[in-house]
Amino acid sequence: MKKRGLHELYANDAEKADHTVFGRTSNPMSRRGFLSGLKTLSVLLGAEVVYGQFMPSGLIPAAFAQSDTPFEIEGKDGLVILNDRPVNAETPAHLLDDKVTPANRLFVRNNGIVPSAPNPDTWTLTIEGESAKQSKTFTLNELKQRFKHYTYQLTLECGGNGRAEFSPAATGNQWTTGAVGCPKWTGVRLKDVLQAVGVNDDAVYIGYYGNDQHLSRTPGKAAISRGVPISKAMEDESLIAWEMNGEPLPIMNGFPLRLVFGGWPASTSGKWLSKIVIRNQVHDGAKMLGKAYRVPCEPVAPGTTVPDDEMCIIEAMPIKSLITYPQSGVQHKLSKALAVRGHAWCGSTSVKDMSTSIDFGQTWQKAELSRPANRHAWQHFSTRISFPQTGYYEIWAKAVDETGKAQPMVLPGWNPKGYLNNACHRVAVKVVA
């Protein structure tokens, strides 16, 4: 019997789910619910909401969004299941504290049925398509022997990470914050392989096909077949990878071969990779059309029905950050400064500044920020926070990229599929004497 996390409990039986906050049981609240009145909040939290006058109306305290129920899955540790057909599971923020994400802590986002016992000794990758100068098939061993190996630390994030915050609700897996990670990937540059096959001047896009089955098990029907513009495919950091952190890829993350495009929606980084097509048009494979991995080309009001031809493909992911320490819901002594740390990333550039707030964004304290290990790797931030009095606080984190774009303090523009939520991450702290 699989364990169910609170995400599942809230989704399936919100009225019956119980939740432990600061060691006490409270009535369940959905993340989109509403609590009015600071006195009510203080009673439920067991502490005064310090700076409560600045708390945005309708905002649910971060303490009510916690889940410590792990989902057990082969090769993974501590992940919370969102769906089991196909398997999708995210990592609680406090388990993403490592600078390099361990394989057992990387989220799982599948669209189909995982291949059964794939054999790396017989695995092949075919390159073809309208804009390929030839069709060529490589064995995995040929890829390893013929092309130079590269290792990059690359950030992968599901385009729907944070979907659970949207209101009206968006369909799909209700990711909170944990569909992201930044392991070290080893493989060959995609551009080296493409150039060895030959790329015509009219090339526009590449598309991928994997050996995962469609949920219907219909022969020849792809579970997912997405891709990227040829310019992204030709970046130095775009890899055909077979290792994560010096070990073979986990089966749930694409063993024995996958694409890795750091900084773009993880859906572009095809797993169980068996074929790449070089296209003279935007790739039109499964989950490239309609509203899949697309947002309105222009902002729309929440709940708006948007025609498919007014939806644009998601490319680089927006500026974002995650507090990985402390774990939300911690109790802390007033007499001591609290160490706070986490990661920040941006899909098209790097992070320039990082700040935290304990008064719901009225004031911000600058944090120390490291440089990325390489392009498209996340960056680490740290700071120490002192509190003026006992009570309930929320620590908010805000990143700013090199172009001056900052994370919004609250939910960004609504879209039908709940993509690209990069609102400030927040964790709850109860300060005690």
Side-chain angles (χ1 to χ4, degrees):
M1 178 70 70
K2 293 184 174 116
K3 295 182 180 179
R4 293 199 303 164
L6 286 179
H7 306 84
E8 229 182 350
L9 291 175
Y10 286 151
N12 297 333
D13 200 357
E15 296 302 319
K16 296 180 180 177
D18 286 332
H19 191 76
T20 301
V21 180
F22 299 133
R24 58 194 293 276
T25 300
S26 66
N27 292 329
M29 299 287 300
S30 82
R31 293 173 65 86
R32 301 186 188 89
F34 181 79
L35 282 173
S36 61
L38 294 178
K39 183 176 292 186
T40 301
L41 274 176
S42 298
V43 170
L44 289 174
L45 292 165
E48 178 187 352
V49 182
V50 184
Y51 301 120
Q53 69 270 32
F54 302 126
M55 193 173 188
S57 176
L59 191 70
I60 299 304
F64 291 125
Q66 304 316 302
S67 171
D68 56 8
T69 303
F71 167 61
E72 295 178 356
I73 187 172
E74 181 181 358
K76 300 294 177 178
D77 178 25
L79 273 64
V80 177
I81 189 171
L82 303 182
N83 194 353
D84 60 1
R85 194 177 188 277
V87 174
N88 290 281
E90 68 174 329
T91 313
H94 69 281
L95 297 183
L96 289 170
D97 195 42
D98 298 271
K99 290 185 176 181
V100 177
T101 306
N104 67 341
R105 294 282 166 80
L106 183 64
F107 73 98
V108 175
R109 170 56 174 122
N110 292 336
N111 286 271
I113 301 169
V114 178
S116 177
N119 185 352
D121 294 331
T122 59
W123 197 269
T124 60
L125 171 64
T126 298
I127 313 292
E128 58 185 26
E130 308 99 329
S131 294
K133 290 187 176 180
Q134 60 178 317
S135 175
K136 190 168 180 60
T137 298
F138 300 91
T139 66
L140 180 51
N141 285 334
E142 285 173 338
L143 288 174
K144 292 180 178 180
Q145 293 168 9
R146 179 169 175 177
F147 300 99
K148 183 178 178 180
H149 298 186
Y150 294 87
T151 297
Y152 296 109
Q153 189 179 0
L154 301 171
T155 307
L156 282 191
E157 181 182 13
C158 177
N161 197 24
R163 179 179 288 131
E165 297 283 357
F166 279 93
S167 181
T171 59
N173 293 296
Q174 296 300 297
W175 305 103
T176 60
T177 59
V180 65
C182 194
K184 290 181 179 179
W185 308 89
T186 297
V188 297
R189 286 175 172 168
L190 173 59
K191 71 174 184 179
D192 292 347
V193 178
L194 296 181
Q195 288 169 349
V197 173
V199 180
N200 291 329
D201 292 340
D202 64 351
V204 171
Y205 235 81
I206 68 99
Y208 70 76
Y209 292 88
N211 278 3
D212 47 334
Q213 283 186 292
H214 191 272
L215 293 176
S216 67
R217 298 186 183 272
T218 302
K221 186 174 184 179
I224 184 170
S225 174
R226 302 202 69 235
V228 298
I230 195 69
S231 57
K232 179 66 176 177
M234 292 298 186
E235 288 185 357
D236 286 349
E237 299 83 7
S238 296
L239 294 181
I240 300 174
W242 54 77
E243 281 187 359
M244 183 193 297
N245 299 337
E247 300 289 338
L249 296 168
I251 181 64
M252 284 292 176
N253 298 118
F255 175 82
L257 197 65
R258 70 171 295 163
L259 287 168
V260 184
F261 294 114
W264 281 43
S267 57
T268 62
S269 296
K271 298 182 291 245
W272 311 289
L273 183 66
S274 61
K275 183 167 69 173
I276 294 173
V277 288
I278 308 173
R279 307 297 309 275
N280 61 4
Q281 64 178 55
V282 175
H283 186 53
D284 54 359
K287 297 191 181 287
M288 280 295 295
L289 304 175
K291 292 180 174 58
Y293 299 102
R294 292 174 180 245
V295 295
C297 300
E298 301 293 337
V300 299
T304 300
T305 299
V306 185
D308 289 354
D309 62 359
E310 296 180 13
M311 302 285 284
C312 290
I313 298 171
I314 299 170
E315 294 190 343
M317 296 293 286
I319 181 75
K320 198 166 182 180
S321 62
L322 184 71
I323 299 169
T324 58
Y325 185 89
Q327 181 178 356
S328 191
V330 69
Q331 290 193 16
H332 181 73
K333 291 284 188 180
L334 177 64
S335 59
K336 297 180 180 180
L338 175 64
V340 177
R341 59 181 179 262
H343 315 296
W345 61 94
C346 184
S348 58
T349 179
S350 60
V351 183
K352 181 181 179 181
D353 292 302
M354 190 71 214
S355 302
T356 58
S357 175
I358 60 171
D359 55 11
F360 300 103
Q362 299 303 298
T363 61
W364 294 89
Q365 172 181 315
K366 195 165 184 177
E368 293 184 8
L369 181 69
S370 72
R371 295 186 61 81
N374 49 253
R375 191 163 174 256
H376 299 317
W378 63 17
Q379 297 165 244
H380 317 296
F381 69 86
S382 62
T383 190
R384 296 184 70 83
I385 295 176
S386 296
F387 299 92
Q389 66 179 74
T390 60
Y392 172 83
Y393 294 84
E394 292 190 2
I395 301 173
W396 290 23
K398 180 177 70 174
V400 181
D401 72 13
E402 288 184 331
T403 70
K405 291 182 180 178
Q407 288 182 258
M409 288 175 55
V410 294
L411 194 72
W414 181 90
N415 61 88
K417 296 288 288 183
Y419 294 126
L420 306 184
N421 179 4
N422 67 329
C424 292
H425 186 220
R426 54 202 181 97
V427 298
V429 178
K430 181 180 179 181
V431 177
V432 297

